[in-house]
Amino acid sequence: MATKSTAPTHTPHRIVVLGAGYAGMSAAVQLAARTRRRDGVRVTLVNPQEHFTERMRLHMAATGQQVAAFDIRELLDGTGAEFVRGWVTGLDADARVVRVDDERSLPYDTLVYALGGVADVSAVPGAADHAYTLGGPQDAELLAERLGRLSQLSGGTVVVVGTGLTGVESAAEIAERCPRLDVVLVGRGEPGAAMNAKARAYLHTALDRLGVRVRAGAEVAKVLPEAVELADGESIAADAVLWTGGTRVSAVAAAAGLAVDERGRVRTDAALRSTSHPAVYAVGDAASVRQGYGVMHGTCQGGMPTGVHAALSILRELKGRRPRPFRFGYYHTPVSLGRGDAVVQFTRPDDSPRRAYLTGRKAVWYKETVTAAPWPTFGRMKKMPASGALWPRGGRFTRTRGAAR
């Protein structure tokens, strides 16, 4: 009796992307578009929500404005990529397995780690219990409900903690949309500190016009149910507190034994691979990416390029080629000051301010043009993958001697 011969089956290379923020979504779309049902590659994207969240617009959602929701499955449709909805609850970097919701195991050959960051409310007593954050749509909705109730009553005071860009945009938006509320912006640094003097002065004038009281050089020591207590003992009454000061990243990477920096971000080599586990690529806020000017700070401006570069590096490795070093230079800092005003500071690749800046309606037009919903960008990447690989490389600011070209 003849025996039936069996040919060896080819196991596809499994690429798992954790997180569908700006960086993770860019990586998944690039990988899916460039492999597109190829037998040798399988792409899986994991995210706790079904919709892509525009983090840059959550301060608008927090004031009751309608913000578009983008379906992740719809974008991946036709690429052959799989979407898994769930929370990443564990990672075994040695066995190359991801745990989702403590119920499902996803083995991988290459991992893209893009779990991002959220507001850090752990460092100050009371912040986790009494402050609102903008960590996602649900957080923004909770704050919108609170602001709506306060506006319907006799008003109240909203304290925004953190004088960075998120704090400034949030304070301006709340002051404009909820004119019956008093808005206080509190933080250690001066709002717009990284801008040139003229752009910074414009920002302060706009905040003053909107009625935002700025308390720079102040450190919040405790958040109480109806107030914030400063380090010098002063107390500021607050009917709502929005916390935007500082971010923290997921503890999954550190718990898995990946090399991380002092903030828990995955340390990467020039190609964005983990320095301890090269099968893991880290992108966006979750990555500690060093350039000639220092470690990149979290922003969608740099997040999307890291996601695209990781995808390109993985595909180069699958072809037996050496990944190229990642290079990125900043080019602007756009800040909304309500719906009808903005300031845009143009920067050098190392993020230091240039003399050029825009204000008013021109700045609003510019910001809305360059930071428009990423949905069309992702759509273009799906149809024309090469369109996603265009970003400022930073010239001499990011050049690495002896790196692969």
Side-chain angles (χ1 to χ4, degrees):
M1 180 176 178
T3 57
K4 186 177 180 181
S5 63
T6 56
T9 57
H10 176 68
T11 302
H13 189 92
R14 300 158 301 185
I15 305 173
V16 176
V17 181
L18 304 182
Y22 292 99
M25 198 74 218
S26 298
V29 171
Q30 278 288 310
L31 287 164
R34 289 176 182 268
T35 56
R36 204 176 295 273
R37 300 180 187 272
R38 190 180 302 169
D39 291 339
V41 179
R42 187 172 71 199
V43 180
T44 302
L45 174 63
V46 182
N47 196 62
Q49 288 85 33
E50 294 180 332
H51 296 89
F52 174 81
T53 299
E54 285 193 89
R55 295 284 295 273
M56 293 188 303
R57 298 183 187 276
L58 287 176
H59 62 284
M60 297 169 57
T63 56
Q65 300 175 69
Q66 190 68 34
V67 177
F70 306 108
D71 189 273
I72 294 173
R73 287 189 178 90
E74 181 182 335
L75 182 58
L76 296 177
D77 184 48
T79 64
E82 179 188 6
F83 174 65
V84 174
R85 182 180 181 183
W87 292 92
V88 176
T89 52
L91 168 63
D92 188 329
D94 296 320
R96 300 190 184 186
V97 175
V98 174
R99 291 287 293 171
V100 180
D101 290 335
D102 285 330
E103 298 176 351
R104 181 173 179 179
S105 295
L106 291 177
Y108 67 85
D109 297 296
T110 303
L111 183 72
V112 179
Y113 187 91
L115 292 182
V118 295
D120 186 5
V121 293
S122 63
V124 174
D129 297 322
H130 307 302
Y132 294 87
T133 65
L134 295 179
Q138 293 81 10
D139 295 334
E141 184 178 341
L142 289 173
L143 178 56
E145 291 174 356
R146 177 60 175 163
L147 296 179
R149 288 196 299 269
L150 290 175
S151 295
Q152 290 173 1
L153 298 174
S154 57
T157 300
V158 179
V159 174
V160 180
V161 180
T163 48
L165 301 186
T166 301
V168 169
E169 291 192 326
S170 299
E173 204 76 35
I174 294 170
E176 181 178 84
R177 301 288 296 189
C178 308
R180 298 185 66 182
L181 302 180
D182 293 324
V183 181
V184 184
L185 180 60
V186 180
R188 299 182 208 177
E190 179 186 2
M195 297 180 172
N196 67 36
K198 292 183 178 180
R200 185 166 61 251
Y202 186 91
L203 184 149
H204 279 266
T205 299
L207 291 176
D208 185 61
R209 171 178 53 79
L210 290 167
V212 176
R213 288 187 287 144
V214 177
R215 294 292 305 274
E219 182 177 354
V220 175
K222 184 182 296 185
V223 180
L224 304 172
E226 296 181 348
V228 294
E229 185 177 297
L230 304 184
D232 63 3
E234 180 185 355
S235 182
I236 302 176
D239 297 283
V241 177
L242 172 58
W243 194 274
T244 71
T247 60
R248 62 177 175 84
V249 298
S250 170
V252 169
L258 273 66
V260 298
D261 67 6
E262 66 283 354
R263 293 176 52 188
R265 298 175 298 182
V266 178
R267 294 187 184 275
T268 65
D269 65 11
L272 302 184
R273 293 171 298 196
S274 163
T275 55
S276 60
H277 295 75
V280 177
Y281 282 78
V283 297
D285 293 351
S288 179
V289 181
R290 182 165 293 279
Q291 298 284 275
Y293 47 77
V295 177
M296 290 176 59
H297 59 77
T299 166
C300 73
Q301 183 182 168
M304 294 179 77
T306 62
V308 173
H309 186 84
L312 298 179
S313 295
I314 291 169
L315 295 174
R316 285 180 67 87
E317 282 197 300
L318 291 179
K319 294 176 182 178
R321 301 165 66 185
R322 183 181 177 186
R324 291 178 176 144
F326 175 73
R327 295 175 59 184
F328 172 80
Y330 298 98
Y331 52 97
H332 66 196
T333 302
V335 185
S336 293
L337 299 168
R339 292 299 86 209
D341 200 2
V343 57
V344 177
Q345 173 66 69
F346 294 101
T347 68
R348 300 180 182 87
D350 65 351
D351 208 27
S352 60
R354 295 183 183 273
R355 294 177 61 185
Y357 65 98
L358 293 176
T359 59
R361 289 290 180 180
K362 290 182 179 179
V364 172
W365 174 85
Y366 177 91
K367 186 177 189 298
E368 290 303 308
T369 299
V370 300
T371 63
W375 201 247
T377 302
F378 292 146
R380 281 196 304 274
M381 279 199 265
K382 189 166 72 168
K383 296 177 181 178
M384 300 178 294
S387 66
L390 303 174
W391 64 80
R393 263 53 178 194
R396 62 182 176 82
F397 289 85
T398 59
R399 189 170 293 119
T400 303
R401 293 183 179 179
R405 306 301 296 172

